[in-house]
Amino acid sequence: MSVSLKHKIGKYLQDEIIFGRLMPGQHIKEVWLSEKFKCSRGPVRETLNQLENEGFITHIPNQGAVVAQISPKEVEDYYALLELLEGKAVKWATPLMKPEDINQLEKINYKIQQISPNSRTSIEKWIPLNLAFHRFFRVKCENTKLDWLIEQVRMRITRFLYTSLLVSSFSQYIKDHDEIIDAVREGNAKKAEKLMQKHIHHAKEVLMSFLTTPG
């Protein structure tokens, strides 16, 4: 079996799930994927098994593969990891930050400020910019293993955000980002770490409220 084919199928399904084009509970047909990628069902089945191990899909007896549901416990677990990992990323990155890096962070946050929370496309505009802001620190801290770990967690959390279509705390997120930038500008790595952890904890609370609200 072609590794590149398996990767191509997996990447396609991951993107469809992460960006909300395949929603929790939606069936994934092996025949449809075989026809789309012009391959036998073997590579498709192996890819689906891998995605199940990664938590993106689940197999239901007599129904086949479906997009995995989002559980509040799963969200809590991922955000607990993210608090620790991204807190360390900003702490380690702070001593390495230059004035031009801080300017870049301010530009990203300014672009976020320009997004109208009431726009139908607000979530699509906000998520890439928010990811760029957070990615800046994990890249700048020069720890490739930490970068990889955060990417794995962020990839899964992004799907939660698209599913909820929730950007109800725009102003708070922007304020949090500004405070983190100020701490980095001061060179206060410990303060920046605490502010990042507080920011991520708040984001978790917003999403948990959405997931646990009836109806």
Side-chain angles (χ1 to χ4, degrees):
M1 181 186 65
S2 168
V3 175
S4 61
L5 175 60
K6 183 178 176 182
H7 174 77
K8 187 182 295 185
I9 299 171
K11 181 67 167 59
Y12 169 77
L13 288 174
Q14 276 189 353
D15 286 349
E16 292 294 288
I17 293 169
I18 288 170
F19 297 115
R21 292 186 287 269
L22 286 174
M23 299 297 285
Q26 190 169 340
H27 285 82
I28 301 173
K29 301 293 186 181
E30 290 184 12
V31 173
W32 169 69
L33 286 169
S34 296
E35 292 174 353
K36 180 176 180 62
F37 289 94
K38 296 179 172 57
C39 66
S40 68
R41 293 174 70 173
V44 170
R45 195 169 290 120
E46 287 194 33
T47 303
L48 292 176
N49 287 336
Q50 179 180 324
L51 289 176
E52 183 173 31
N53 291 334
E54 295 173 355
F56 287 100
I57 70 166
T58 187
H59 283 87
I60 300 177
N62 303 317
Q63 293 188 41
V66 299
V67 178
Q69 297 288 345
I70 296 171
S71 74
K73 179 64 167 64
E74 186 179 14
V75 171
E76 282 203 292
D77 288 348
Y78 278 132
Y79 270 92
L81 284 173
L82 206 60
E83 279 188 50
L84 292 172
L85 296 172
E86 291 210 7
K88 291 303 179 187
V90 72
K91 180 181 180 181
W92 295 341
T94 295
L96 304 174
M97 299 286 272
K98 300 175 181 177
E100 55 265 34
D101 297 322
I102 295 171
N103 288 340
Q104 185 61 32
L105 287 170
E106 289 178 328
K107 287 179 182 178
I108 294 171
N109 211 33
Y110 176 76
K111 288 180 181 178
I112 294 175
Q113 286 179 297
Q114 305 313 300
I115 301 171
S116 169
N118 301 317
S119 168
R120 293 183 63 184
T121 60
S122 60
I123 193 75
E124 288 84 359
K125 294 176 180 177
W126 174 71
I127 286 180
L129 289 169
N130 186 62
L131 289 175
F133 182 89
H134 286 265
R135 186 181 296 114
F136 202 95
F137 297 107
R138 71 179 202 241
V139 172
K140 195 67 182 177
C141 79
E142 299 180 349
N143 186 318
T144 57
K145 302 304 181 186
L146 183 64
D147 184 14
W148 180 84
L149 283 170
I150 293 174
E151 176 65 21
Q152 295 304 304
V153 177
R154 276 280 171 194
M155 183 169 59
R156 288 154 176 81
I157 287 177
T158 300
R159 132 172 144 88
F160 303 153
L161 295 173
Y162 270 98
T163 301
S164 68
L165 295 177
L166 185 68
V167 195
S168 61
S169 296
F170 253 48
S171 59
Q172 184 62 52
Y173 292 153
I174 293 166
K175 180 175 180 291
D176 287 352
H177 286 181
D178 279 336
E179 290 178 350
I180 292 167
I181 293 170
D182 287 342
V184 171
R185 184 184 290 107
E186 295 167 7
N188 193 332
K190 190 64 178 178
K191 182 180 179 181
E193 176 187 21
K194 293 295 183 184
L195 286 170
M196 178 62 82
Q197 290 175 333
K198 178 184 174 184
H199 170 53
I200 293 172
H201 183 79
H202 175 257
K204 180 197 75 174
E205 292 300 311
V206 172
L207 184 53
M208 287 294 293
S209 176
F210 172 85
L211 293 175
T212 56
T213 299

